[in-house]
Amino acid sequence: MKPEIAKLGYVALVSSDLEKSLVFFKEVIGLEETEVIDGVHYLRAWGDFQHHTLSIEQGERGYVRHIGWRTKSKEDVHLFKEVLENKGVHVENVPAWETPGIGEAIRFKVPSGHTFEFYYDVKKPKAQEHRRSVLKNQTYKAWAKGISPRRIDHVNLHTSEDWQVTYTFFQEVLGFKLREYLKKDESSQILAGWMSVTPLVHDVALVSRQKDEIPTNARLHHLSYWVDDSQDVLRAADICREHDLPFCGPGKHSISQALYLYVSDPGSGCTVEIFTGGYLIFEPDWEPVAWNESERAFGNTYWGDSISKKELVKHTIEA
């Protein structure tokens, strides 16, 4: 049996202006703070259960330290370590609870240049009484502040590394399934792929770039938080406008069929996508949906603000 990833866990973010980032993520996005340890702030959405889905700390520049993924079992962490080392990948062992709320873990670089962390054991701290929902199956009171998303949804990564090596690794070694993809009109070269380990259309989107298009080989275009419905996306636009934050959207993607709004953290430069709608995939024999490069604009935007290639590259941070 191959080891398996269960879900996207968290993003470890460094900000060049922590104060601005905390206002953005806590007051505008509306994440709840679990705790602060050694200057690192641990945040989660009102429907997230594990200790955090985002950590933020002060640094000289904005970038992503790593992206955490929870495996389906504790044994899978060890099995992934074996598989990766057999592939010649350097794997770092992270002692249990060195990262608050996260048990024994491994960290490694994927061929795209991004650093991933795999773990299984987590702590699921209850909210303080005055912040706790009356629902036993929910962590916090919903819509307490800001946009108030329910949960973390996906990450969108850009890379200038070899596309064949990268996509093969994500699928054959890590177990991601390709759901939709954008390819060159006259060849099989993949320009972007939407991949998942869950029924979501994508837990990760991977976009290929030329080396002269991005300042470093591994970038984070955005992390995404899920809201319940389209009205929440419209409300998010109002909230961003009230805080005088530029944003893209609301609109609807053709690829994934989801509604979106993009807004960037003024502290770290990290872009957050507020995301809802879309479709779920339950078919065991799903055939990946192919889009040609000439359909790129339509694939990005079914209706709403157009997301140009230039803008997609512009709003990325180092990962």
Side-chain angles (χ1 to χ4, degrees), residues 1 24 38 52 70 74 81-82 101 107 128 131 133 151-152 160-161 163 187 217 219 240-241 257 260 262 265 307:
M1 293 285 290
F24 175 78
D38 296 330
H52 63 279
R70 193 177 185 199
K74 188 169 185 174
K81 183 175 187 293
E82 291 180 12
R107 285 184 195 153
Q128 295 170 299
R131 300 160 70 196
S133 172
R151 59 171 174 79
I152 194 170
S160 60
E161 297 295 343
W163 70 273
S187 76
N217 68 323
R219 310 290 294 179
C240 291
R241 188 61 177 164
Q257 301 180 28
Y260 65 81
Y262 295 92
D265 166 28
I307 306 170

Side-chain angles (χ1 to χ4, degrees), residues 35-150:
E35 59 182 337
V36 184
I37 300 177
D38 296 330
V40 184
H41 295 252
Y42 297 93
L43 311 174
R44 58 184 176 177
W46 59 259
D48 285 325
F49 295 99
Q50 73 175 48
H51 182 269
H52 63 279
T53 52
L54 179 70
S55 66
I56 315 175
E57 61 186 288
Q58 179 67 48
E60 293 184 0
R61 68 187 193 284
Y63 69 97
V64 173
R65 284 195 183 279
H66 56 268
I67 299 165
W69 301 85
R70 193 177 185 199
T71 60
K72 287 194 172 182
S73 72
K74 188 169 185 174
E75 291 72 25
D76 283 338
V77 177
H78 301 286
L79 289 172
F80 267 120
K81 183 175 187 293
E82 291 180 12
V83 170
L84 291 164
E85 289 180 336
N86 287 336
K87 294 285 184 181
V89 178
H90 173 71
V91 178
E92 175 190 354
N93 294 307
V94 183
W97 320 120
E98 181 176 287
T99 300
I102 304 295
E104 181 183 7
I106 58 172
R107 285 184 195 153
F108 58 96
K109 279 195 180 292
V110 293
S112 63
H114 300 86
T115 300
F116 279 7
E117 177 182 273
F118 284 180
Y119 60 90
Y120 175 74
D121 290 328
V122 296
K123 291 181 180 178
K124 300 179 180 180
K126 290 185 178 180
Q128 295 170 299
E129 187 63 38
H130 71 282
R131 300 160 70 196
R132 191 178 304 168
S133 172
V134 297
L135 289 170
K136 293 182 178 181
N137 54 7
Q138 185 172 304
T139 310
Y140 296 94
K141 297 174 183 178
W143 309 297
K145 57 181 179 178
I147 295 168
S148 196
R150 179 185 286 267

Side-chain angles (χ1 to χ4, degrees), residues 45-48 53 149-154 200 224-227:
W46 59 259
D48 285 325
T53 52
R150 179 185 286 267
R151 59 171 174 79
I152 194 170
D153 191 86
H154 66 266
L200 298 177
S224 174
Y225 276 92
W226 171 272
V227 292

Side-chain angles (χ1 to χ4, degrees), residues 212-272:
D212 60 352
E213 289 184 311
I214 52 179
T216 56
N217 68 323
R219 310 290 294 179
L220 172 76
H221 180 263
H222 65 263
L223 65 92
S224 174
Y225 276 92
W226 171 272
V227 292
D228 283 351
D229 57 38
S230 58
Q231 185 59 45
D232 290 332
V233 177
L234 297 178
R235 178 173 166 271
D238 284 347
I239 290 170
C240 291
R241 188 61 177 164
E242 288 286 354
H243 285 83
D244 197 27
L245 291 169
F247 57 90
C248 177
K252 182 174 181 177
H253 295 303
S254 296
I255 297 170
S256 82
Q257 301 180 28
L259 301 180
Y260 65 81
L261 180 143
Y262 295 92
V263 59
S264 293
D265 166 28
S268 68
C270 177
T271 296
V272 175

Side-chain angles (χ1 to χ4, degrees), residues 19-32:
E19 185 177 349
K20 284 184 178 179
S21 289
L22 290 175
V23 170
F24 175 78
F25 281 106
K26 293 169 66 175
E27 305 304 324
V28 180
I29 301 300
L31 300 184
E32 299 282 356

Side-chain angles (χ1 to χ4, degrees), residues 201-216:
V201 175
H202 64 312
D203 297 299
V204 60
L206 188 63
V207 180
S208 298
R209 294 296 179 196
Q210 298 298 316
K211 291 187 181 297
D212 60 352
E213 289 184 311
I214 52 179
T216 56

Side-chain angles (χ1 to χ4, degrees), residues 277-294:
Y279 63 95
L280 300 175
I281 298 172
F282 298 105
E283 306 305 319
D285 57 349
W286 178 264
E287 292 292 333
V289 178
W291 297 75
N292 289 321
E293 186 177 18
S294 56

